[in-house]
Amino acid sequence: MIPRLLSGTALMAALALPLAAQARTVEEAKASGTIRVGIQGDNCPWGCINSAGQADGFDADMGRAFAEYLGVEAEFVPLQVANRIPALTTDKVDVLFATMGMTAERAQSIQYSRPYAANQLSVVAPKEMAAASGADLAGKRVGVPRAAAQDTALTAEAPEANILRFDDDAATIQALLSGQVDAVGGNQIYIQRLEAARPGVYENKMPLTALYNGAGSRLGETDWNEALNGFLESHMISDAYKATYDKWMQLSPPDFPAEMDGIPYTVTQ
């Protein structure tokens, strides 16, 4: 059969269409010698780019350990909160170690691994400010990273608060330090960073929720999911993992749930 030729107009339209992203398999990544790991770009101690231009933080160390497990080098891609999942689903990265709080809603868009870190979310405010309940926050300006879990939690718990949404954790913290907001919804690391910037001023107030972080791969990609879980199963019982957790979190690793409602740790058939 002779292939049908496109008309000039149809050909121009076809060329204008974006090419579909072809996601790499684990074996293709191994063959290339690198894996592309998405981390947060400005959220140390979780993930950041340091003054030397190198990926740093807990998630960067986990990404390097995963690359070593596969026998390749890690190529880090710094991301903001809002573009973590799009970067994965459009094949900008192979996997995410990007402070991905595990929620049933997100599990509709990405495949989680088993959890490898925990993150307590709380309202953080000046010590003299009353912020023990959602009612205390009525009329207050409360900053959150856009689309993060604390955004969802505060929207539900403090409907009368004036919630201001920022691009990432660093911008949210800076908004509190500059007086742009009265309080923030933060993770367990916020108080460390605030204490370093302004000692003795802020404290954790109203607890929101405890999140577990998982590594992310694309839906249906069994090979990446199995590689991530195989790595975590072996790495998380090692002294190296415990040392990494203590170095960055200043905590011992917690007990992790064997399963979570609505969040499969493996690809479901």
Side-chain angles (χ1 to χ4, degrees):
M1 179 181 294
I2 299 175
R4 182 172 61 89
L5 297 178
L6 293 174
S7 68
T9 301
L11 179 59
M12 291 294 291
L15 291 174
L17 293 174
L19 295 176
Q22 297 296 314
R24 300 196 303 176
T25 66
V26 171
E27 290 306 313
E28 287 170 340
K30 286 182 178 180
S32 77
T34 63
I35 56 168
R36 301 165 301 171
V37 181
I39 62 168
Q40 284 196 271
D42 194 10
N43 189 25
C44 269
W46 292 103
C48 60
I49 304 301
N50 64 25
S51 59
Q54 302 297 313
D56 213 350
F58 178 74
D59 281 336
D61 280 356
M62 292 295 292
R64 289 189 184 94
F66 179 53
E68 183 178 353
Y69 172 82
L70 294 179
V72 298
E73 294 292 323
E75 177 184 302
F76 290 99
V77 180
L79 303 169
Q80 294 181 332
V81 169
N83 71 345
R84 291 173 297 179
I85 292 176
L88 178 67
T89 57
T90 59
D91 195 39
K92 300 296 190 300
V93 298
D94 298 312
V95 294
L96 293 173
F97 280 92
T99 329
M100 291 300 301
M102 300 173 75
T103 68
E105 180 181 7
R106 284 181 181 156
Q108 301 299 310
S109 300
I110 66 170
Q111 175 62 56
Y112 280 110
S113 69
R114 61 188 290 179
Y116 67 91
N119 195 352
Q120 173 63 52
L121 305 182
S122 305
V123 172
V124 186
K127 290 183 176 181
E128 67 274 12
M129 176 178 161
S133 68
D136 289 335
L137 298 176
K140 300 293 186 182
R141 301 164 303 165
V142 184
V144 294
R146 184 179 293 105
Q150 52 264 52
D151 185 350
T152 302
L154 270 167
T155 299
E157 295 291 333
E160 301 302 319
N162 178 17
I163 298 178
L164 302 180
R165 295 171 174 87
F166 300 90
D167 285 339
D168 52 31
D169 293 288
T172 304
I173 290 171
Q174 186 57 41
L176 182 60
L177 289 169
S178 67
Q180 188 176 351
V181 296
D182 304 303
V184 294
N187 61 44
Q188 66 192 27
I189 306 302
Y190 274 41
I191 196 64
Q192 294 180 23
R193 296 172 70 176
L194 288 163
E195 184 67 15
R198 199 166 296 167
V201 175
Y202 303 99
E203 65 184 6
N204 288 322
K205 300 282 189 174
M206 169 186 170
L208 293 172
T209 186
L211 285 182
Y212 296 98
N213 294 347
S217 55
R218 284 171 287 271
L219 291 174
E221 292 191 342
T222 304
D223 58 342
W224 283 108
N225 175 244
E226 289 181 347
L228 286 165
N229 280 325
F231 157 67
L232 292 172
E233 183 177 359
S234 62
H235 185 64
M236 288 173 63
I237 60 174
S238 70
D239 290 339
Y241 168 74
K242 295 171 186 175
T244 298
Y245 211 96
D246 178 68
K247 173 185 176 182
W248 294 109
M249 301 295 108
Q250 300 177 23
L251 297 165
S252 297
D255 293 328
F256 294 102
E259 59 184 27
M260 297 172 68
D261 288 342
I263 308 173
Y265 298 169
T266 59
V267 175
T268 55
Q269 303 300 325

